[in-house]
Amino acid sequence: MAEIKTHKDLLVWKKSIDLVEQIYTFTKQFPKEELYGITNQMRRCAVSIPANIAEGSGRKNKAEFIQFLHIALGSASELETHLIISQRLGFLSSNSYDEIMNALNEIIKMICGLINSLNSLNPTRSS
């Protein structure tokens, strides 16, 4: 297995950056009066996912990395809630909702897998 050099080498980080682009694209179509409401909230929690993956991977110990991955999971759950609300309010079509949810669910699974992988490493190692 190749060694991870930075967060930019992590597939989950790359996919979460793609998700941010999707969220920005879809929220451009939201009502203008939602700019400081759900649009802003969705963008902030979407950006928080790769940002926390990056910050955690930049830490020098495994426990801190795992902590930041859990924060990224929290942001993903928050985004999921905003997506459900957006669809119910008619801001997102069913197809758009499904597309974003599929990407988000894949990212959530990848973050959980990374946490499990880090937890299974030798506990005496610091990276």
Side-chain angles (χ1 to χ4, degrees), residues 69 107-120:
L69 291 172
I107 289 165
I108 290 169
K109 288 176 186 171
M110 292 176 81
I111 294 171
C112 289
L114 183 53
I115 291 169
N116 290 337
S117 176
L118 289 168
N119 278 328
S120 70

Side-chain angles (χ1 to χ4, degrees), residues 85-109:
I85 292 167
S86 296
Q87 187 200 26
R88 290 180 67 167
L89 292 175
F91 301 160
L92 276 176
S93 69
S94 292
N95 287 342
S96 296
Y97 172 82
D98 290 343
E99 180 183 333
I100 298 170
M101 284 301 295
N102 288 337
L104 181 59
N105 286 329
E106 180 181 16
I107 289 165
I108 290 169
K109 288 176 186 171

Side-chain angles (χ1 to χ4, degrees), residues 11 13-23 50 103 107:
L11 182 59
W13 180 84
K14 294 173 186 175
K15 287 186 177 281
S16 62
I17 291 291
D18 292 341
L19 179 67
V20 171
E21 285 185 89
Q22 276 187 297
I23 294 298
I107 289 165

Side-chain angles (χ1 to χ4, degrees), residues 1-125:
M1 184 168 104
E3 186 175 328
I4 303 292
K5 293 174 182 58
T6 73
H7 60 278
K8 293 179 275 185
D9 296 314
L10 294 169
L11 182 59
V12 68
W13 180 84
K14 294 173 186 175
K15 287 186 177 281
S16 62
I17 291 291
D18 292 341
L19 179 67
V20 171
E21 285 185 89
Q22 276 187 297
I23 294 298
Y24 270 76
T25 298
F26 284 113
T27 57
K28 281 181 187 176
Q29 303 161 20
F30 281 20
K32 295 299 175 212
E33 63 267 17
E34 287 300 326
L35 182 60
Y36 299 106
I38 200 160
T39 300
N40 185 46
Q41 289 295 317
M42 287 178 69
R43 290 175 176 184
R44 289 181 67 211
C45 54
V47 168
S48 178
I49 298 168
N52 278 292
I53 293 169
E55 185 168 356
S57 75
R59 299 298 174 121
K60 293 303 174 200
N61 86 40
K62 182 179 70 169
E64 284 184 288
F65 191 7
I66 291 169
Q67 178 183 359
F68 279 95
L69 291 172
H70 281 288
I71 294 168
L73 280 176
S75 295
S77 294
E78 182 181 353
L79 179 57
E80 179 182 39
T81 299
H82 292 310
L83 288 166
I84 291 166
I85 292 167
S86 296
Q87 187 200 26
R88 290 180 67 167
L89 292 175
F91 301 160
L92 276 176
S93 69
S94 292
N95 287 342
S96 296
Y97 172 82
D98 290 343
E99 180 183 333
I100 298 170
M101 284 301 295
N102 288 337
L104 181 59
N105 286 329
E106 180 181 16
I107 289 165
I108 290 169
K109 288 176 186 171
M110 292 176 81
I111 294 171
C112 289
L114 183 53
I115 291 169
N116 290 337
S117 176
L118 289 168
N119 278 328
S120 70
L121 291 175
N122 183 343
T124 59
R125 287 181 52 183

